[in-house]
Amino acid sequence: MAFHEQLTKLVQSSNKSFNQIERELGYPRNALANYRQNSKNPSTKRLKELADYFGVAPEHLLGRDERYTYDKTILLFESLKMESKQKFLDYALRKLGRENFEKGIL
């Protein structure tokens, strides 16, 4: 998956607009438009800023490895800030079903 597709997925999952994210990051208006339209790739600095913002590895944003292995998933999880870890766990529990998790079925 290309960078612009990964970026779009992350923006949509954040329930924010591209413009809102630009404001939060201090970017000029429509700074992300070139990425969204697949006409330009980000600089290394901006790639890192976006990866940090979404709590993902830069490699994930670049779409280089869609099939994270268990070890890569653990490394990614460990690199997250506590708030992002909690969001991840909440998401996993919603997807897997909290009741099944608490019963030890999963």
Side-chain angles (χ1 to χ4, degrees):
M1 186 175 293
F3 171 78
H4 73 282
E5 294 170 317
Q6 290 290 59
L7 179 62
T8 299
K9 281 176 52 178
L10 289 168
V11 170
Q12 290 171 345
S13 68
S14 74
N15 294 318
K16 296 180 181 180
S17 69
F18 278 90
N19 289 337
Q20 183 178 359
I21 292 170
E22 289 166 341
R23 283 191 305 273
E24 290 177 12
L25 289 169
Y27 295 169
R29 184 163 166 70
N30 294 322
L32 301 179
N34 287 331
Y35 308 141
R36 189 172 61 230
Q37 296 165 359
N38 195 25
S39 62
K40 185 177 176 185
N41 285 324
S43 66
T44 303
K45 179 184 177 196
R46 190 153 285 176
L47 176 66
K48 183 171 178 352
E49 290 171 350
L50 289 166
D52 288 346
Y53 179 85
F54 289 110
V56 299
E59 293 81 11
H60 179 73
L61 254 177
L62 293 171
R64 290 192 178 151
D65 189 1
E66 282 291 316
R67 298 163 290 155
Y68 280 104
T69 63
Y70 178 77
D71 291 338
K72 286 182 182 178
T73 303
I74 295 299
L75 287 173
L76 177 61
F77 184 79
E78 291 300 325
S79 72
L80 297 174
K81 296 176 185 172
M82 187 56 72
E83 180 182 337
S84 295
K85 286 179 182 179
Q86 186 62 52
K87 287 180 182 180
F88 176 82
L89 290 172
D90 291 343
Y91 171 80
L93 288 173
R94 279 193 312 275
K95 285 293 190 183
L96 299 173
R98 188 176 296 271
E99 300 80 23
N100 290 334
F101 183 79
E102 289 172 352
K103 290 177 187 175
I105 294 173
L106 300 174

